[in-house]
Amino acid sequence: MNIGEVSERAGLPPKTIRYYEDIGLVRPLRSDNGYRAFRESDIHKLAFLGRARTLGFSIEDCRTLLDLYEDESRESAQVKSVAKEHLTAIDRKIAQLKSMRQTLSHLVDACQGDYRPDCPILEDLAKGS
Amino acid sequence: MNIGEVSERAGLPPKTIRYYEDIGLVRPLRSDNGYRAFRESDIHKLAFLGRARTLGFSIEDCRTLLDLYEDESRESAQVKSVAKEHLTAIDRKIAQLKSMRQTLSHLVDACQGDYRPDCPILEDLAKGS
DNA sequence: CTAAGGCTTCCAGTTGCGGGAAGCTCAAGA
DNA sequence: TCTTGAGCTTCCCGCAACTGGAAGCCTTAG
């Protein structure tokens, strides 16, 4: 199967698929004409990767997860460990964004947003919190 | 004032300060020996930038905000507009992260995390939800 | 036979810096 | 006075995870 159809079926842009091959996440065969020839297993892997990426896993995490997926002798604890670390990273990011949101929304509320130059937002930025 | 002391006072690494000069956010003078010579106003700008960055504004937003800050004839509506757009971007990111968090925490909870290979996390990634 | 579309590779750009090399300058100690 | 050592300079590479675009081959329909 050529990259275009694979792209549709796996839900990933061709560019991304080529990139994943570059970094060794998938290893499609090649046809005589030089085109990539994907097997069902490749599509399956790509869909796996797409799903893992939407959950926010890094490429390296994806590599690890894919390896574990294909390792019959894996222990689920290994998978859980990767997922838990990612979860705490997500929590950190959420906390950080919420903190920004908090400050920023106060400032936005305090700003008149009219034709006059006076602005609490700029005043805050200028003198630190 | 040399870059080292400015770095301490503005709370930004020297590398970052040089980068900000590269992209035209600050324009320190130069001493005869070629060293950057920062004025108080430069430090003030750098602190402004540092604060804006911790609130998550992009460099381009920072440039805009700095321009507005120095523009006596600004209208606070312009500032508020930039801040509001950033705020909605933050809200989008928070929503996305929360969605990831939701899915991921369910999966993590469902995984035994023991020596056995069976794993709901991998199963989910494999078949998509 | 030709044109369009799909495929290939390769290179550059994105965001916001950080690391490190090579080399100049300056201040302090033997 | 000479020599360190720290601090400064520029320059270029690398990161994550792609995306866009150029140049060129392959295939298929008209």
Side-chain angles (χ1 to χ4, degrees), chain B residues 14-118:
Chain B
K15 279 281 192 184
T16 300
I17 298 174
R18 293 194 191 99
Y19 174 66
Y20 288 173
E21 182 187 10
D22 267 4
I23 62 177
L25 288 179
V26 283
R27 306 183 191 281
L29 303 174
R30 293 289 176 144
S31 305
D32 291 344
N33 58 14
Y35 288 15
R36 288 171 182 80
F38 295 85
R39 291 151 291 189
E40 285 298 320
S41 64
D42 294 320
I43 299 174
H44 195 69
K45 275 194 198 183
L46 287 167
F48 182 104
L49 290 169
R51 172 86 176 135
R53 292 287 297 138
T54 69
L55 288 182
F57 285 104
S58 71
I59 291 288
E60 282 318 302
D61 278 351
C62 288
R63 193 189 302 276
T64 303
L65 291 171
L66 204 47
D67 286 350
L68 287 171
Y69 182 60
E70 304 197 310
D71 176 7
E72 301 286 324
S73 72
R74 69 176 169 261
E75 303 181 3
S76 65
Q78 299 176 275
V79 182
K80 188 167 183 172
S81 162
V82 171
K84 277 176 75 176
E85 281 194 30
H86 179 43
L87 195 50
T88 68
I90 286 177
D91 284 341
R92 273 197 302 276
K93 282 187 196 165
I94 290 176
Q96 191 187 4
L97 285 171
K98 279 191 171 175
S99 158
M100 289 178 184
R101 207 218 109 87
Q102 170 82 348
T103 303
L104 205 53
S105 69
H106 281 330
L107 292 174
V108 165
D109 286 349
C111 177
Q112 297 291 324
D114 57 19
Y115 61 91
R116 288 171 297 184
D118 315 270

Side-chain angles (χ1 to χ4, degrees), chain A residues 26-98:
Chain A
V26 283
R27 305 182 192 283
L29 303 174
R30 291 289 176 146
S31 303
D32 291 345
N33 59 13
Y35 286 16
R36 289 171 182 79
F38 296 85
R39 291 151 291 190
E40 284 299 321
S41 63
D42 293 320
I43 298 173
H44 194 71
K45 275 194 197 182
L46 288 167
F48 182 104
L49 291 168
R51 172 87 177 132
R53 292 289 296 138
T54 69
L55 287 181
F57 286 104
S58 72
I59 290 288
E60 283 318 302
D61 277 352
C62 288
R63 193 190 300 277
T64 303
L65 292 170
L66 204 48
D67 286 350
L68 287 170
Y69 181 59
E70 303 197 311
D71 176 7
E72 302 285 323
S73 72
R74 69 176 169 262
E75 302 180 3
S76 65
Q78 298 175 277
V79 182
K80 187 166 183 172
S81 161
V82 171
K84 278 177 73 177
E85 281 194 30
H86 180 42
L87 196 51
T88 68
I90 286 177
D91 284 340
R92 271 196 303 276
K93 281 185 198 167
I94 290 176
Q96 192 187 5
L97 286 170
K98 280 190 172 178

